[in-house]
Amino acid sequence: MAHDEAASGKKFAFVLLAFQVVFIVLFGVFAEYHWDAKPQSHRPADANGLVKGVRQADAAKSDAPYNPDYAMKDFYPMFQDVHVMMFIGFGYLMTFLRKYGYSSLGINFLLAAFVIQWATLMRGFLHMHDGKFMIDLTTLLTADFGAAAILITFGAVLGKLSPLQYLIMALIEVSVLEVNEWVGVKIFKTLDVGGSIFVHVFGAYFGLACSRVLSRWEYSANGFNTLKYTTKTTDLFSMVGTIFLWMFWPSFNSVMAPAELQQRAVINTYFALASCCVATFICSFLFHHGKISMEMVQNATLAGGVAIGSTADMVVNPYGALIIGFGAGVLSCVGIRFINGILESKLKVHDTCGVNNLHGMPGILAALISAVVCATASESVYGSSYYKVFPSLEKTEENENPRTPLLQAAWQLSALGMTLGVALLSGALTGSVLRLKIFDPLPGPAMFDDEAYFAM
Amino acid sequence: MAHDEAASGKKFAFVLLAFQVVFIVLFGVFAEYHWDAKPQSHRPADANGLVKGVRQADAAKSDAPYNPDYAMKDFYPMFQDVHVMMFIGFGYLMTFLRKYGYSSLGINFLLAAFVIQWATLMRGFLHMHDGKFMIDLTTLLTADFGAAAILITFGAVLGKLSPLQYLIMALIEVSVLEVNEWVGVKIFKTLDVGGSIFVHVFGAYFGLACSRVLSRWEYSANGFNTLKYTTKTTDLFSMVGTIFLWMFWPSFNSVMAPAELQQRAVINTYFALASCCVATFICSFLFHHGKISMEMVQNATLAGGVAIGSTADMVVNPYGALIIGFGAGVLSCVGIRFINGILESKLKVHDTCGVNNLHGMPGILAALISAVVCATASESVYGSSYYKVFPSLEKTEENENPRTPLLQAAWQLSALGMTLGVALLSGALTGSVLRLKIFDPLPGPAMFDDEAYFAM
Amino acid sequence: MAHDEAASGKKFAFVLLAFQVVFIVLFGVFAEYHWDAKPQSHRPADANGLVKGVRQADAAKSDAPYNPDYAMKDFYPMFQDVHVMMFIGFGYLMTFLRKYGYSSLGINFLLAAFVIQWATLMRGFLHMHDGKFMIDLTTLLTADFGAAAILITFGAVLGKLSPLQYLIMALIEVSVLEVNEWVGVKIFKTLDVGGSIFVHVFGAYFGLACSRVLSRWEYSANGFNTLKYTTKTTDLFSMVGTIFLWMFWPSFNSVMAPAELQQRAVINTYFALASCCVATFICSFLFHHGKISMEMVQNATLAGGVAIGSTADMVVNPYGALIIGFGAGVLSCVGIRFINGILESKLKVHDTCGVNNLHGMPGILAALISAVVCATASESVYGSSYYKVFPSLEKTEENENPRTPLLQAAWQLSALGMTLGVALLSGALTGSVLRLKIFDPLPGPAMFDDEAYFAM
């Protein structure tokens, strides 16, 4: 056994090395700095001699002269908030397992560092110009967004895979994820500023499908039940993750919004999270014999950020944000208290961190809300920002048949359907692949235990 | 007993639910996005066709054209720092109690999420236009400032109230706090950029008065004395709170300053905190038989941020900031070592986290310093920024009888007096209210123990 | 013994007090706010009536009109990231020692707060105008950079000195460090945007030399070996430090770059750290019998940030950054696994935190890389930013004999040589001084143990 572990660890090292070398080669062949990170003289100028800044979307409609650190001022602080969410937020959130803290943090760290490279490449391949793709601060941001989906999936299968399985899972998932999002954004023209559909729904249901297929191991629930007990210390560490995610979620939901709409996205997310936190405590007292459940506080308080994600930059109004957040908190607590057990016992889906409750159902809710908000969008409410929020409704040269609000709503629902379908299917297939012996499936007794892969 | 707890928990849930529903209704009726978070076409323009940005105070004196993300660039990073101070800073700072970590973090989280909604409403009611109040990024900031006062009070009564009592306390305190501040700023024209008077002094003495009135339970000190012992792990968690508060305090003290003065506020606070940290170690060695007390390191190192809070944007000069910080550190350590015991034994005021040492006395010091700095203000030192720092000294249409520096100093002291009086009185009254059976007072033996309200 | 400790603690308090008083006097005599933190009317204007902003370097070449919060927008968020690296990053990184957590955090806090004052003074003395030096946001930043070097050194001697020894060490080191950097930047015109040479190499080798000279105590290795064992809890705390350092390193490497080059520095550092993290896991599996070593994860993952530090704002291209980061990770792991033991057994250099692996060797690598990148710099690649990146190559009035790229490369290597020499020599001398009885050397049995100086 010990020998197998050593051999499996070394094999993993060589696979990882191979991928890293391939990444370096692919970056060498295809990646270059974006104009904004290049010398100013190397940037293309328009007819007026203005050199464009980093934000392609905005720049196209802007008459502002070139501003060399436009991107840094606009994006950098929010980018760092998102970065903290990925590495501290997700990393510590998952340290609640009594004997799996090293793995939660360590594998989270490794997967994220691996994925931000691979997501940069995949996304780059989908946005090539003249055989190259360009890297700027928004590239790093979208790479972090890609990592978010993988870390959500990681939460569903936490404790049940070997490092090699985690890695292959991440590799496949990023590829499918980026294509799904590309189709959703370019073809479906889906509005999803905070990635609730393309990141949260995708990551959660990919992970659940994957976990279901791998559930032949009956060790899952049993192993988990003896090892899942948290300690006070692990709960306090886990709260570090929760609170950083909660605080910085407004950055996650607003950073990709057009500059003019960012503040509204911040306000909406702030209030949605506030009422979601209150809703969680209410449900916790009601569902837990008048006591507070740390599991709910650690997870359900965040559901409001997911549920408002697709509409964060729209005019849902502060009271609307409060209602959305409240609903998400209740939904998430219902999931933890009632649905989780059904998933496990009836459908044999074991969900270690409860990602269905935190990311899955609130993500679906976000998509439904976005359909309602799109369907009821009116120019009188949005005024001059109408077409900035809903670009697909504007008649332009590239968009000769503008959509009606109702049609946009239908496309939002279609994007949800596509994402659910693709995530479940590709997750299940990935799970089947991971069962292959070649990927060193984790032996049952080694689950939920750092000792399998960490020098203690 | 167990049954009572369950019933009390459910009652709390319904009360919380009722408040959340009322909040949503009030937001629906009274709140709307500020111009800056609205479509540009919905914003009022001045005679020159310029549309104003978010900062009312600045905008009124500014000729700058409309900048759509002015507020985001100016405020957002500092706002997030303040947000971290509230949720990570205060939350973890209070985890030092061996058996009360869940409550410290959890109740801190709930109270803050509750208060930022209620503070938004209260402040909104005090700033209505045509039956509506407007929400922008500064609203979120001032809501967080309001939460700070409540979390300071929470520190004074930590471990001694039931969730329902904490909630009612927060509800009453925010109402009084916002009115007190409104009077202080609008009528007294107090200068208090870092909220040392209106946030720190108010929160601390409200909490101490409240704690005093509730002290009929003799369990307080006894229960605390057996449970207060920290462990190495709880101390390290507590330091997470301390250090985040310490690092981000320059943001707290400068974010509300006019843009031109922010940098000075950052510099002053940075140096005040540095010398305060040094002073704390000096006192700790001298007061603790040549050893370092973690209690002092966790608390007194922060007093410099409070003490410079009312004058952070004034010309106190770097050496002045160092002196202020040093004095605050000494004062705070003297409080911990000598005054705390007197308060408890002579005045029957039990101060769980020592807020008198960290917020109370340094806040009073801040007010006294502000009186001195105002009294000695001269146009030759402040130059063109004289009236920006001291607007009440300028003769304008709205301010026909400008104050003299000495008069402004007197108003600073009056604001301190008013705040002390209002906080002590309203805190004591709140304490009396909280003794009512209807608010489920916490039974003595359940104090300082997570088990009363957390599912373990 | 107990008595000695008390006496020694009090003596330390008085020494610290004396220094703080001297600092206050020196600040009073020599320090004033920079123009930017002063009233606008007190700032000098140029011939066109434009008042310059904070960034001297940029302002000199800029025609931009005065922008009162230019510095705040440009620097503040990155400054706060660096601040977090110093106090949370270094502080928690060093908490891994089982019985030395209070000291790691507490002494780190004290030394940093002490050093930012002393570094401000030292640097000020080297940049005096008319008997005064000026303080602005960049002053705070460079003070934090100075603290970084001292905290690196602290890592090398961690657990082996008394508070007084730590303090004297910091005092001497800052003085030498600032002079060395001044010579390196002004005379050698070294390019070292992320301080890999002047901060990391200096801090590491100063500390190692110091540790070597102090190694007459054979307790070092033995005491350490019984006390070094980490616990799961201390490892999770240590990872808080690691991850915050890792996430915010792009800020550290880009904040001092000219605005136009900041984004490139962020991109390069981001990718270097990603591949460095992957490299660390690869090496860990290979060097540790197929298991992950938390020691490597905590340290080697950061080496990429050091290795890219001197060239972060240059055109190394994304794939180049990946290669540099990967190499640094491997180098650092080789250091931990193989070189560390040799240093200890053959050279009697005891390196508590392994700063040679994280800062020393990767810093040397950074300098070598910078020489290669300078030597191969071409105007066709850098275009209009050529002289912004490599100012010494431009012929100007002040620079009549511009360097060739090859000559700049030689100067980079010279700066490395000088820094290594100065650090080793001054570190060794400092170690000798610290052996003096007057500085209360720590008795052997008291090493690596909080009890010596903390009230438990």
Side-chain angles (χ1 to χ4, degrees), chain A residues 5-6 8-10 12-14 16-17 20 23-24 27-28 31-34 36-43 54 66 68-69 71-73 76-77 79-80 83-85 87-88 92 95 98-102 105-107 109-110 113-114 116-117 120 135-141 143-144 163 233-234 237 240 244 450-456, chain C residues 55 67 70 73-74 77-78 81 230-233 235-244 246-252 254 259-260 262-264 266-268 270-271 273-279 281-283 285-294 297-298 301 312 314-319 321-323 326 379-386:
Chain A
E5 277 176 9
S8 148
K10 285 187 183 172
F12 174 68
F14 286 113
L16 197 53
L17 175 61
Q20 185 63 58
F23 288 177
I24 291 175
F27 268 87
E32 55 179 32
Y33 296 120
H34 191 269
D36 217 59
K38 275 189 194 167
Q40 196 164 342
S41 59
H42 289 203
R43 291 185 197 112
V54 65
Y66 171 74
D69 46 357
M72 295 304 286
K73 283 183 190 165
Y76 192 73
F79 159 69
Q80 277 295 1
H83 220 40
V84 171
M85 293 174 75
F87 290 89
I88 288 285
Y92 277 91
T95 55
R98 192 161 53 92
K99 299 190 105 180
Y100 207 66
Y102 287 160
L105 260 181
I107 307 287
F109 195 7
L110 172 61
F114 178 82
I116 56 183
Q117 299 178 56
T120 301
I135 291 180
D136 61 17
L137 202 48
T138 53
T139 312
L140 312 192
L141 253 169
D144 269 32
T233 300
T234 64
F237 275 120
V240 172
F244 271 106
D450 284 331
E451 288 203 24
Y453 290 97
F454 279 79
M456 305 297 276
Chain C
R55 268 185 127 175
N67 180 342
Y70 176 47
K73 283 183 191 167
D74 259 31
M78 286 186 163
D81 291 349
T230 61
T231 68
K232 192 142 190 173
T233 299
D235 269 331
L236 291 189
F237 275 119
S238 185
M239 283 297 288
V240 171
T242 300
I243 297 180
F244 271 106
W246 193 90
M247 294 186 303
F248 290 164
W249 213 294
S251 298
F252 193 89
S254 65
E260 191 183 320
Q262 283 188 330
Q263 187 169 186
R264 196 190 297 154
V266 167
I267 293 171
N268 288 338
Y270 177 90
F271 284 112
L273 287 163
S275 69
C276 183
C277 175
V278 171
F281 279 86
I282 292 171
C283 292
F285 275 109
L286 292 180
F287 297 168
H288 260 80
H289 313 291
K291 300 228 173 183
I292 302 169
S293 144
M294 285 308 278
V297 175
Q298 282 157 6
T301 50
M314 301 181 187
V315 177
V316 298
N317 287 313
Y319 78 90
L322 289 172
I323 293 173
F326 191 87
E379 219 167 330
S380 69
V381 168
Y382 288 88
S384 60
S385 71
Y386 189 54

Side-chain angles (χ1 to χ4, degrees), chain B residues 192-206:
Chain B
D192 189 28
V193 71
S196 295
I197 301 169
F198 299 127
V199 171
H200 291 282
V201 167
F202 189 95
Y205 292 103
F206 184 99

Side-chain angles (χ1 to χ4, degrees), chain B residues 254-283:
Chain B
S254 66
V255 65
M256 301 304 288
E260 191 183 321
L261 310 178
Q262 283 188 330
Q263 187 169 187
R264 196 191 296 152
V266 167
I267 293 170
N268 287 339
T269 308
Y270 177 91
F271 284 112
L273 287 163
S275 69
C276 182
C277 175
V278 171
T280 301
F281 278 85
I282 292 172
C283 293

Side-chain angles (χ1 to χ4, degrees), chain B residues 28 106 119 176 195 218 271 282 286 332 382 450:
Chain B
V176 184
E218 287 111 344
F271 284 112
I282 292 172
L286 292 179
S332 193
Y382 288 88
D450 285 330

